[in-house]
Amino acid sequence: MKQIATVAAVQAADKAAQEGGTPVEVLMGRAGAAVATAAVRELGTVAGRRVVALAGKGHNGGDALEALARLARRGAGAEALVTGEPDDLDEQGRRCVALVRAAGGRVRPFTAELAGRLLAGADLVLDGLLGTGSSGAPRGAVAEAIAATSGAEVPVVAVDIPSGVDGATGEVAGGAVRATVTVTFQAVKPGHVLPPGSARVGRLEVTG
């Protein structure tokens, strides 16, 4: 049985790592690399495959963009939809957007119409909308993005936890992504193993 840690404990460990001298971009790079590795296992051949990242405004979205950039550098057709203006993200978010664009991928604001069109032709989706610290029913563009994944018959790799699942309790207060694989960091969180959220996790991989 993998170690289970509270969301607060893992957040504290991340903060301690940064205060100890590990830059946040290094932590995000490690997370993105782990997510990209899981995506490669799902895709098999990467070159020429179409990958869509659904990214929120926080570091969870940045992790998904980091992963997408790595897949783009390996020849995947890379599209990212961000629940906000990409150029209005914080410093780390803008850095991750630049990585995707430098690798030949495209980053655009989320719309339901665009998501429906892109997901219909995708080979894989990266879910970076919400992290383990999120609770309550998703709203606005995030809720619309989650709904778009439910209508697409495509594998989903979730970053840390499927969006819409409460990392602390496993509660699903509204819509939630149903992941094929969930890549989480440091330890299993309660939301990964407690129902009903546990049914959305798919295969759980713990890294770092």
mmCIF file with all atom_site columns, all heavy atoms in Angstrom, residues 115-145:
data_model
loop_
_atom_site.group_PDB
_atom_site.id
_atom_site.type_symbol
_atom_site.label_atom_id
_atom_site.label_alt_id
_atom_site.label_comp_id
_atom_site.label_asym_id
_atom_site.label_entity_id
_atom_site.label_seq_id
_atom_site.pdbx_PDB_ins_code
_atom_site.Cartn_x
_atom_site.Cartn_y
_atom_site.Cartn_z
_atom_site.occupancy
_atom_site.B_iso_or_equiv
_atom_site.pdbx_formal_charge
_atom_site.auth_seq_id
_atom_site.auth_comp_id
_atom_site.auth_asym_id
_atom_site.auth_atom_id
_atom_site.pdbx_PDB_model_num
ATOM 1   N N   . ALA A 1 115 ? -13.180 23.456 -27.709 1.00 0.00 ? 115 ALA A N   1
ATOM 2   C CA  . ALA A 1 115 ? -12.852 22.219 -27.002 1.00 0.00 ? 115 ALA A CA  1
ATOM 3   C C   . ALA A 1 115 ? -13.531 21.029 -27.649 1.00 0.00 ? 115 ALA A C   1
ATOM 4   O O   . ALA A 1 115 ? -12.913 19.971 -27.843 1.00 0.00 ? 115 ALA A O   1
ATOM 5   C CB  . ALA A 1 115 ? -13.257 22.322 -25.541 1.00 0.00 ? 115 ALA A CB  1
ATOM 6   N N   . GLY A 1 116 ? -14.797 21.176 -27.984 1.00 0.00 ? 116 GLY A N   1
ATOM 7   C CA  . GLY A 1 116 ? -15.509 20.072 -28.618 1.00 0.00 ? 116 GLY A CA  1
ATOM 8   C C   . GLY A 1 116 ? -14.862 19.654 -29.920 1.00 0.00 ? 116 GLY A C   1
ATOM 9   O O   . GLY A 1 116 ? -14.729 18.450 -30.205 1.00 0.00 ? 116 GLY A O   1
ATOM 10  N N   . ARG A 1 117 ? -14.431 20.640 -30.691 1.00 0.00 ? 117 ARG A N   1
ATOM 11  C CA  . ARG A 1 117 ? -13.808 20.340 -31.977 1.00 0.00 ? 117 ARG A CA  1
ATOM 12  C C   . ARG A 1 117 ? -12.443 19.667 -31.805 1.00 0.00 ? 117 ARG A C   1
ATOM 13  O O   . ARG A 1 117 ? -12.129 18.674 -32.481 1.00 0.00 ? 117 ARG A O   1
ATOM 14  C CB  . ARG A 1 117 ? -13.669 21.648 -32.766 1.00 0.00 ? 117 ARG A CB  1
ATOM 15  C CG  . ARG A 1 117 ? -13.111 21.482 -34.171 1.00 0.00 ? 117 ARG A CG  1
ATOM 16  C CD  . ARG A 1 117 ? -13.608 22.591 -35.087 1.00 0.00 ? 117 ARG A CD  1
ATOM 17  N NE  . ARG A 1 117 ? -13.517 23.905 -34.488 1.00 0.00 ? 117 ARG A NE  1
ATOM 18  C CZ  . ARG A 1 117 ? -12.420 24.668 -34.527 1.00 0.00 ? 117 ARG A CZ  1
ATOM 19  N NH1 . ARG A 1 117 ? -11.319 24.218 -35.095 1.00 0.00 ? 117 ARG A NH1 1
ATOM 20  N NH2 . ARG A 1 117 ? -12.430 25.878 -33.985 1.00 0.00 ? 117 ARG A NH2 1
ATOM 21  N N   . LEU A 1 118 ? -11.636 20.194 -30.881 1.00 0.00 ? 118 LEU A N   1
ATOM 22  C CA  . LEU A 1 118 ? -10.298 19.634 -30.686 1.00 0.00 ? 118 LEU A CA  1
ATOM 23  C C   . LEU A 1 118 ? -10.337 18.252 -30.047 1.00 0.00 ? 118 LEU A C   1
ATOM 24  O O   . LEU A 1 118 ? -9.595  17.349 -30.440 1.00 0.00 ? 118 LEU A O   1
ATOM 25  C CB  . LEU A 1 118 ? -9.454  20.581 -29.832 1.00 0.00 ? 118 LEU A CB  1
ATOM 26  C CG  . LEU A 1 118 ? -9.055  21.907 -30.466 1.00 0.00 ? 118 LEU A CG  1
ATOM 27  C CD1 . LEU A 1 118 ? -8.235  22.740 -29.476 1.00 0.00 ? 118 LEU A CD1 1
ATOM 28  C CD2 . LEU A 1 118 ? -8.278  21.701 -31.753 1.00 0.00 ? 118 LEU A CD2 1
ATOM 29  N N   . LEU A 1 119 ? -11.196 18.077 -29.062 1.00 0.00 ? 119 LEU A N   1
ATOM 30  C CA  . LEU A 1 119 ? -11.251 16.790 -28.373 1.00 0.00 ? 119 LEU A CA  1
ATOM 31  C C   . LEU A 1 119 ? -11.779 15.697 -29.286 1.00 0.00 ? 119 LEU A C   1
ATOM 32  O O   . LEU A 1 119 ? -11.410 14.526 -29.149 1.00 0.00 ? 119 LEU A O   1
ATOM 33  C CB  . LEU A 1 119 ? -12.108 16.894 -27.110 1.00 0.00 ? 119 LEU A CB  1
ATOM 34  C CG  . LEU A 1 119 ? -11.563 17.790 -25.996 1.00 0.00 ? 119 LEU A CG  1
ATOM 35  C CD1 . LEU A 1 119 ? -12.459 17.722 -24.772 1.00 0.00 ? 119 LEU A CD1 1
ATOM 36  C CD2 . LEU A 1 119 ? -10.145 17.425 -25.625 1.00 0.00 ? 119 LEU A CD2 1
ATOM 37  N N   . ALA A 1 120 ? -12.636 16.063 -30.233 1.00 0.00 ? 120 ALA A N   1
ATOM 38  C CA  . ALA A 1 120 ? -13.167 15.061 -31.157 1.00 0.00 ? 120 ALA A CA  1
ATOM 39  C C   . ALA A 1 120 ? -12.063 14.448 -32.009 1.00 0.00 ? 120 ALA A C   1
ATOM 40  O O   . ALA A 1 120 ? -12.176 13.297 -32.444 1.00 0.00 ? 120 ALA A O   1
ATOM 41  C CB  . ALA A 1 120 ? -14.233 15.693 -32.050 1.00 0.00 ? 120 ALA A CB  1
ATOM 42  N N   . GLY A 1 121 ? -10.986 15.199 -32.228 1.00 0.00 ? 121 GLY A N   1
ATOM 43  C CA  . GLY A 1 121 ? -9.899  14.681 -33.052 1.00 0.00 ? 121 GLY A CA  1
ATOM 44  C C   . GLY A 1 121 ? -8.642  14.329 -32.277 1.00 0.00 ? 121 GLY A C   1
ATOM 45  O O   . GLY A 1 121 ? -7.598  14.070 -32.864 1.00 0.00 ? 121 GLY A O   1
ATOM 46  N N   . ALA A 1 122 ? -8.749  14.311 -30.942 1.00 0.00 ? 122 ALA A N   1
ATOM 47  C CA  . ALA A 1 122 ? -7.558  14.099 -30.111 1.00 0.00 ? 122 ALA A CA  1
ATOM 48  C C   . ALA A 1 122 ? -7.276  12.618 -29.904 1.00 0.00 ? 122 ALA A C   1
ATOM 49  O O   . ALA A 1 122 ? -8.181  11.778 -29.911 1.00 0.00 ? 122 ALA A O   1
ATOM 50  C CB  . ALA A 1 122 ? -7.729  14.786 -28.767 1.00 0.00 ? 122 ALA A CB  1
ATOM 51  N N   . ASP A 1 123 ? -6.007  12.313 -29.693 1.00 0.00 ? 123 ASP A N   1
ATOM 52  C CA  . ASP A 1 123 ? -5.589  10.974 -29.298 1.00 0.00 ? 123 ASP A CA  1
ATOM 53  C C   . ASP A 1 123 ? -5.400  10.860 -27.789 1.00 0.00 ? 123 ASP A C   1
ATOM 54  O O   . ASP A 1 123 ? -5.393  9.762  -27.240 1.00 0.00 ? 123 ASP A O   1
ATOM 55  C CB  . ASP A 1 123 ? -4.271  10.603 -29.992 1.00 0.00 ? 123 ASP A CB  1
ATOM 56  C CG  . ASP A 1 123 ? -4.427  10.495 -31.503 1.00 0.00 ? 123 ASP A CG  1
ATOM 57  O OD1 . ASP A 1 123 ? -5.219  9.651  -31.949 1.00 0.00 ? 123 ASP A OD1 1
ATOM 58  O OD2 . ASP A 1 123 ? -3.762  11.273 -32.223 1.00 0.00 ? 123 ASP A OD2 1
ATOM 59  N N   . LEU A 1 124 ? -5.238  12.001 -27.120 1.00 0.00 ? 124 LEU A N   1
ATOM 60  C CA  . LEU A 1 124 ? -5.020  12.011 -25.670 1.00 0.00 ? 124 LEU A CA  1
ATOM 61  C C   . LEU A 1 124 ? -5.354  13.393 -25.136 1.00 0.00 ? 124 LEU A C   1
ATOM 62  O O   . LEU A 1 124 ? -5.110  14.400 -25.803 1.00 0.00 ? 124 LEU A O   1
ATOM 63  C CB  . LEU A 1 124 ? -3.559  11.686 -25.340 1.00 0.00 ? 124 LEU A CB  1
ATOM 64  C CG  . LEU A 1 124 ? -3.239  11.528 -23.855 1.00 0.00 ? 124 LEU A CG  1
ATOM 65  C CD1 . LEU A 1 124 ? -3.524  10.095 -23.408 1.00 0.00 ? 124 LEU A CD1 1
ATOM 66  C CD2 . LEU A 1 124 ? -1.782  11.861 -23.557 1.00 0.00 ? 124 LEU A CD2 1
ATOM 67  N N   . VAL A 1 125 ? -5.893  13.428 -23.909 1.00 0.00 ? 125 VAL A N   1
ATOM 68  C CA  . VAL A 1 125 ? -6.168  14.691 -23.227 1.00 0.00 ? 125 VAL A CA  1
ATOM 69  C C   . VAL A 1 125 ? -5.362  14.734 -21.935 1.00 0.00 ? 125 VAL A C   1
ATOM 70  O O   . VAL A 1 125 ? -5.283  13.743 -21.205 1.00 0.00 ? 125 VAL A O   1
ATOM 71  C CB  . VAL A 1 125 ? -7.669  14.827 -22.906 1.00 0.00 ? 125 VAL A CB  1
ATOM 72  C CG1 . VAL A 1 125 ? -7.928  16.058 -22.049 1.00 0.00 ? 125 VAL A CG1 1
ATOM 73  C CG2 . VAL A 1 125 ? -8.485  14.904 -24.189 1.00 0.00 ? 125 VAL A CG2 1
ATOM 74  N N   . LEU A 1 126 ? -4.761  15.876 -21.658 1.00 0.00 ? 126 LEU A N   1
ATOM 75  C CA  . LEU A 1 126 ? -4.114  16.142 -20.379 1.00 0.00 ? 126 LEU A CA  1
ATOM 76  C C   . LEU A 1 126 ? -5.038  17.023 -19.558 1.00 0.00 ? 126 LEU A C   1
ATOM 77  O O   . LEU A 1 126 ? -5.412  18.110 -20.002 1.00 0.00 ? 126 LEU A O   1
ATOM 78  C CB  . LEU A 1 126 ? -2.768  16.842 -20.577 1.00 0.00 ? 126 LEU A CB  1
ATOM 79  C CG  . LEU A 1 126 ? -1.730  16.128 -21.435 1.00 0.00 ? 126 LEU A CG  1
ATOM 80  C CD1 . LEU A 1 126 ? -0.483  17.004 -21.574 1.00 0.00 ? 126 LEU A CD1 1
ATOM 81  C CD2 . LEU A 1 126 ? -1.370  14.772 -20.862 1.00 0.00 ? 126 LEU A CD2 1
ATOM 82  N N   . ASP A 1 127 ? -5.409  16.551 -18.374 1.00 0.00 ? 127 ASP A N   1
ATOM 83  C CA  . ASP A 1 127 ? -6.304  17.306 -17.500 1.00 0.00 ? 127 ASP A CA  1
ATOM 84  C C   . ASP A 1 127 ? -5.487  18.038 -16.450 1.00 0.00 ? 127 ASP A C   1
ATOM 85  O O   . ASP A 1 127 ? -5.009  17.446 -15.488 1.00 0.00 ? 127 ASP A O   1
ATOM 86  C CB  . ASP A 1 127 ? -7.298  16.342 -16.836 1.00 0.00 ? 127 ASP A CB  1
ATOM 87  C CG  . ASP A 1 127 ? -7.999  16.962 -15.628 1.00 0.00 ? 127 ASP A CG  1
ATOM 88  O OD1 . ASP A 1 127 ? -8.187  18.205 -15.624 1.00 0.00 ? 127 ASP A OD1 1
ATOM 89  O OD2 . ASP A 1 127 ? -8.341  16.213 -14.700 1.00 0.00 ? 127 ASP A OD2 1
ATOM 90  N N   . GLY A 1 128 ? -5.338  19.354 -16.630 1.00 0.00 ? 128 GLY A N   1
ATOM 91  C CA  . GLY A 1 128 ? -4.651  20.186 -15.660 1.00 0.00 ? 128 GLY A CA  1
ATOM 92  C C   . GLY A 1 128 ? -5.523  21.340 -15.215 1.00 0.00 ? 128 GLY A C   1
ATOM 93  O O   . GLY A 1 128 ? -5.035  22.455 -15.010 1.00 0.00 ? 128 GLY A O   1
ATOM 94  N N   . LEU A 1 129 ? -6.815  21.084 -15.061 1.00 0.00 ? 129 LEU A N   1
ATOM 95  C CA  . LEU A 1 129 ? -7.755  22.152 -14.736 1.00 0.00 ? 129 LEU A CA  1
ATOM 96  C C   . LEU A 1 129 ? -7.725  22.527 -13.262 1.00 0.00 ? 129 LEU A C   1
ATOM 97  O O   . LEU A 1 129 ? -7.641  23.706 -12.909 1.00 0.00 ? 129 LEU A O   1
ATOM 98  C CB  . LEU A 1 129 ? -9.169  21.725 -15.137 1.00 0.00 ? 129 LEU A CB  1
ATOM 99  C CG  . LEU A 1 129 ? -9.396  21.598 -16.657 1.00 0.00 ? 129 LEU A CG  1
ATOM 100 C CD1 . LEU A 1 129 ? -10.675 20.807 -16.925 1.00 0.00 ? 129 LEU A CD1 1
ATOM 101 C CD2 . LEU A 1 129 ? -9.461  22.979 -17.289 1.00 0.00 ? 129 LEU A CD2 1
ATOM 102 N N   . LEU A 1 130 ? -7.818  21.529 -12.378 1.00 0.00 ? 130 LEU A N   1
ATOM 103 C CA  . LEU A 1 130 ? -7.879  21.769 -10.938 1.00 0.00 ? 130 LEU A CA  1
ATOM 104 C C   . LEU A 1 130 ? -6.948  20.806 -10.220 1.00 0.00 ? 130 LEU A C   1
ATOM 105 O O   . LEU A 1 130 ? -6.767  19.665 -10.662 1.00 0.00 ? 130 LEU A O   1
ATOM 106 C CB  . LEU A 1 130 ? -9.304  21.570 -10.405 1.00 0.00 ? 130 LEU A CB  1
ATOM 107 C CG  . LEU A 1 130 ? -10.385 22.504 -10.941 1.00 0.00 ? 130 LEU A CG  1
ATOM 108 C CD1 . LEU A 1 130 ? -11.762 22.024 -10.481 1.00 0.00 ? 130 LEU A CD1 1
ATOM 109 C CD2 . LEU A 1 130 ? -10.140 23.942 -10.498 1.00 0.00 ? 130 LEU A CD2 1
ATOM 110 N N   . GLY A 1 131 ? -6.397  21.236 -9.098  1.00 0.00 ? 131 GLY A N   1
ATOM 111 C CA  . GLY A 1 131 ? -5.482  20.399 -8.333  1.00 0.00 ? 131 GLY A CA  1
ATOM 112 C C   . GLY A 1 131 ? -6.136  19.799 -7.107  1.00 0.00 ? 131 GLY A C   1
ATOM 113 O O   . GLY A 1 131 ? -7.344  19.913 -6.887  1.00 0.00 ? 131 GLY A O   1
ATOM 114 N N   . THR A 1 132 ? -5.316  19.190 -6.270  1.00 0.00 ? 132 THR A N   1
ATOM 115 C CA  . THR A 1 132 ? -5.834  18.497 -5.088  1.00 0.00 ? 132 THR A CA  1
ATOM 116 C C   . THR A 1 132 ? -6.398  19.446 -4.049  1.00 0.00 ? 132 THR A C   1
ATOM 117 O O   . THR A 1 132 ? -7.162  19.044 -3.185  1.00 0.00 ? 132 THR A O   1
ATOM 118 C CB  . THR A 1 132 ? -4.737  17.640 -4.432  1.00 0.00 ? 132 THR A CB  1
ATOM 119 O OG1 . THR A 1 132 ? -3.609  18.469 -4.139  1.00 0.00 ? 132 THR A OG1 1
ATOM 120 C CG2 . THR A 1 132 ? -4.324  16.487 -5.324  1.00 0.00 ? 132 THR A CG2 1
ATOM 121 N N   . GLY A 1 133 ? -6.029  20.716 -4.104  1.00 0.00 ? 133 GLY A N   1
ATOM 122 C CA  . GLY A 1 133 ? -6.523  21.678 -3.124  1.00 0.00 ? 133 GLY A CA  1
ATOM 123 C C   . GLY A 1 133 ? -7.886  22.244 -3.452  1.00 0.00 ? 133 GLY A C   1
ATOM 124 O O   . GLY A 1 133 ? -8.451  23.002 -2.659  1.00 0.00 ? 133 GLY A O   1
ATOM 125 N N   . SER A 1 134 ? -8.437  21.869 -4.587  1.00 0.00 ? 134 SER A N   1
ATOM 126 C CA  . SER A 1 134 ? -9.736  22.397 -4.994  1.00 0.00 ? 134 SER A CA  1
ATOM 127 C C   . SER A 1 134 ? -10.867 21.650 -4.285  1.00 0.00 ? 134 SER A C   1
ATOM 128 O O   . SER A 1 134 ? -10.792 20.452 -4.042  1.00 0.00 ? 134 SER A O   1
ATOM 129 C CB  . SER A 1 134 ? -9.896  22.253 -6.510  1.00 0.00 ? 134 SER A CB  1
ATOM 130 O OG  . SER A 1 134 ? -11.172 22.664 -6.922  1.00 0.00 ? 134 SER A OG  1
ATOM 131 N N   . SER A 1 135 ? -11.933 22.387 -3.965  1.00 0.00 ? 135 SER A N   1
ATOM 132 C CA  . SER A 1 135 ? -13.107 21.768 -3.353  1.00 0.00 ? 135 SER A CA  1
ATOM 133 C C   . SER A 1 135 ? -14.356 22.467 -3.859  1.00 0.00 ? 135 SER A C   1
ATOM 134 O O   . SER A 1 135 ? -14.301 23.579 -4.384  1.00 0.00 ? 135 SER A O   1
ATOM 135 C CB  . SER A 1 135 ? -13.037 21.841 -1.830  1.00 0.00 ? 135 SER A CB  1
ATOM 136 O OG  . SER A 1 135 ? -13.021 23.195 -1.397  1.00 0.00 ? 135 SER A OG  1
ATOM 137 N N   . GLY A 1 136 ? -15.488 21.808 -3.704  1.00 0.00 ? 136 GLY A N   1
ATOM 138 C CA  . GLY A 1 136 ? -16.742 22.374 -4.174  1.00 0.00 ? 136 GLY A CA  1
ATOM 139 C C   . GLY A 1 136 ? -16.952 22.113 -5.657  1.00 0.00 ? 136 GLY A C   1
ATOM 140 O O   . GLY A 1 136 ? -16.084 21.573 -6.349  1.00 0.00 ? 136 GLY A O   1
ATOM 141 N N   . ALA A 1 137 ? -18.115 22.483 -6.137  1.00 0.00 ? 137 ALA A N   1
ATOM 142 C CA  . ALA A 1 137 ? -18.462 22.244 -7.537  1.00 0.00 ? 137 ALA A CA  1
ATOM 143 C C   . ALA A 1 137 ? -17.696 23.190 -8.459  1.00 0.00 ? 137 ALA A C   1
ATOM 144 O O   . ALA A 1 137 ? -17.648 24.398 -8.206  1.00 0.00 ? 137 ALA A O   1
ATOM 145 C CB  . ALA A 1 137 ? -19.963 22.427 -7.730  1.00 0.00 ? 137 ALA A CB  1
ATOM 146 N N   . PRO A 1 138 ? -17.080 22.664 -9.506  1.00 0.00 ? 138 PRO A N   1
ATOM 147 C CA  . PRO A 1 138 ? -16.407 23.539 -10.485 1.00 0.00 ? 138 PRO A CA  1
ATOM 148 C C   . PRO A 1 138 ? -17.416 24.497 -11.113 1.00 0.00 ? 138 PRO A C   1
ATOM 149 O O   . PRO A 1 138 ? -18.599 24.176 -11.258 1.00 0.00 ? 138 PRO A O   1
ATOM 150 C CB  . PRO A 1 138 ? -15.854 22.552 -11.517 1.00 0.00 ? 138 PRO A CB  1
ATOM 151 C CG  . PRO A 1 138 ? -15.762 21.250 -10.788 1.00 0.00 ? 138 PRO A CG  1
ATOM 152 C CD  . PRO A 1 138 ? -16.920 21.244 -9.844  1.00 0.00 ? 138 PRO A CD  1
ATOM 153 N N   . ARG A 1 139 ? -16.910 25.655 -11.508 1.00 0.00 ? 139 ARG A N   1
ATOM 154 C CA  . ARG A 1 139 ? -17.777 26.677 -12.072 1.00 0.00 ? 139 ARG A CA  1
ATOM 155 C C   . ARG A 1 139 ? -17.183 27.237 -13.353 1.00 0.00 ? 139 ARG A C   1
ATOM 156 O O   . ARG A 1 139 ? -16.006 27.058 -13.641 1.00 0.00 ? 139 ARG A O   1
ATOM 157 C CB  . ARG A 1 139 ? -17.985 27.820 -11.068 1.00 0.00 ? 139 ARG A CB  1
ATOM 158 C CG  . ARG A 1 139 ? -18.724 27.407 -9.800  1.00 0.00 ? 139 ARG A CG  1
ATOM 159 C CD  . ARG A 1 139 ? -18.776 28.535 -8.790  1.00 0.00 ? 139 ARG A CD  1
ATOM 160 N NE  . ARG A 1 139 ? -17.440 28.867 -8.280  1.00 0.00 ? 139 ARG A NE  1
ATOM 161 C CZ  . ARG A 1 139 ? -17.189 29.835 -7.415  1.00 0.00 ? 139 ARG A CZ  1
ATOM 162 N NH1 . ARG A 1 139 ? -18.170 30.601 -6.970  1.00 0.00 ? 139 ARG A NH1 1
ATOM 163 N NH2 . ARG A 1 139 ? -15.962 30.054 -6.996  1.00 0.00 ? 139 ARG A NH2 1
ATOM 164 N N   . GLY A 1 140 ? -17.996 27.949 -14.110 1.00 0.00 ? 140 GLY A N   1
ATOM 165 C CA  . GLY A 1 140 ? -17.538 28.690 -15.270 1.00 0.00 ? 140 GLY A CA  1
ATOM 166 C C   . GLY A 1 140 ? -16.853 27.833 -16.316 1.00 0.00 ? 140 GLY A C   1
ATOM 167 O O   . GLY A 1 140 ? -17.282 26.716 -16.625 1.00 0.00 ? 140 GLY A O   1
ATOM 168 N N   . ALA A 1 141 ? -15.761 28.368 -16.852 1.00 0.00 ? 141 ALA A N   1
ATOM 169 C CA  . ALA A 1 141 ? -15.042 27.683 -17.922 1.00 0.00 ? 141 ALA A CA  1
ATOM 170 C C   . ALA A 1 141 ? -14.498 26.340 -17.470 1.00 0.00 ? 141 ALA A C   1
ATOM 171 O O   . ALA A 1 141 ? -14.425 25.392 -18.259 1.00 0.00 ? 141 ALA A O   1
ATOM 172 C CB  . ALA A 1 141 ? -13.905 28.575 -18.427 1.00 0.00 ? 141 ALA A CB  1
ATOM 173 N N   . VAL A 1 142 ? -14.113 26.231 -16.188 1.00 0.00 ? 142 VAL A N   1
ATOM 174 C CA  . VAL A 1 142 ? -13.598 24.947 -15.691 1.00 0.00 ? 142 VAL A CA  1
ATOM 175 C C   . VAL A 1 142 ? -14.692 23.886 -15.764 1.00 0.00 ? 142 VAL A C   1
ATOM 176 O O   . VAL A 1 142 ? -14.453 22.756 -16.208 1.00 0.00 ? 142 VAL A O   1
ATOM 177 C CB  . VAL A 1 142 ? -13.066 25.093 -14.253 1.00 0.00 ? 142 VAL A CB  1
ATOM 178 C CG1 . VAL A 1 142 ? -12.714 23.736 -13.674 1.00 0.00 ? 142 VAL A CG1 1
ATOM 179 C CG2 . VAL A 1 142 ? -11.846 26.000 -14.238 1.00 0.00 ? 142 VAL A CG2 1
ATOM 180 N N   . ALA A 1 143 ? -15.899 24.232 -15.341 1.00 0.00 ? 143 ALA A N   1
ATOM 181 C CA  . ALA A 1 143 ? -17.011 23.284 -15.418 1.00 0.00 ? 143 ALA A CA  1
ATOM 182 C C   . ALA A 1 143 ? -17.292 22.893 -16.863 1.00 0.00 ? 143 ALA A C   1
ATOM 183 O O   . ALA A 1 143 ? -17.559 21.715 -17.161 1.00 0.00 ? 143 ALA A O   1
ATOM 184 C CB  . ALA A 1 143 ? -18.258 23.888 -14.768 1.00 0.00 ? 143 ALA A CB  1
ATOM 185 N N   . GLU A 1 144 ? -17.222 23.857 -17.770 1.00 0.00 ? 144 GLU A N   1
ATOM 186 C CA  . GLU A 1 144 ? -17.459 23.569 -19.181 1.00 0.00 ? 144 GLU A CA  1
ATOM 187 C C   . GLU A 1 144 ? -16.377 22.656 -19.739 1.00 0.00 ? 144 GLU A C   1
ATOM 188 O O   . GLU A 1 144 ? -16.651 21.761 -20.547 1.00 0.00 ? 144 GLU A O   1
ATOM 189 C CB  . GLU A 1 144 ? -17.515 24.867 -19.977 1.00 0.00 ? 144 GLU A CB  1
ATOM 190 C CG  . GLU A 1 144 ? -18.730 25.738 -19.672 1.00 0.00 ? 144 GLU A CG  1
ATOM 191 C CD  . GLU A 1 144 ? -18.758 27.005 -20.505 1.00 0.00 ? 144 GLU A CD  1
ATOM 192 O OE1 . GLU A 1 144 ? -17.932 27.121 -21.439 1.00 0.00 ? 144 GLU A OE1 1
ATOM 193 O OE2 . GLU A 1 144 ? -19.593 27.878 -20.225 1.00 0.00 ? 144 GLU A OE2 1
ATOM 194 N N   . ALA A 1 145 ? -15.136 22.878 -19.323 1.00 0.00 ? 145 ALA A N   1
ATOM 195 C CA  . ALA A 1 145 ? -14.031 22.042 -19.796 1.00 0.00 ? 145 ALA A CA  1
ATOM 196 C C   . ALA A 1 145 ? -14.174 20.608 -19.294 1.00 0.00 ? 145 ALA A C   1
ATOM 197 O O   . ALA A 1 145 ? -13.921 19.647 -20.026 1.00 0.00 ? 145 ALA A O   1
ATOM 198 C CB  . ALA A 1 145 ? -12.697 22.633 -19.356 1.00 0.00 ? 145 ALA A CB  1
#
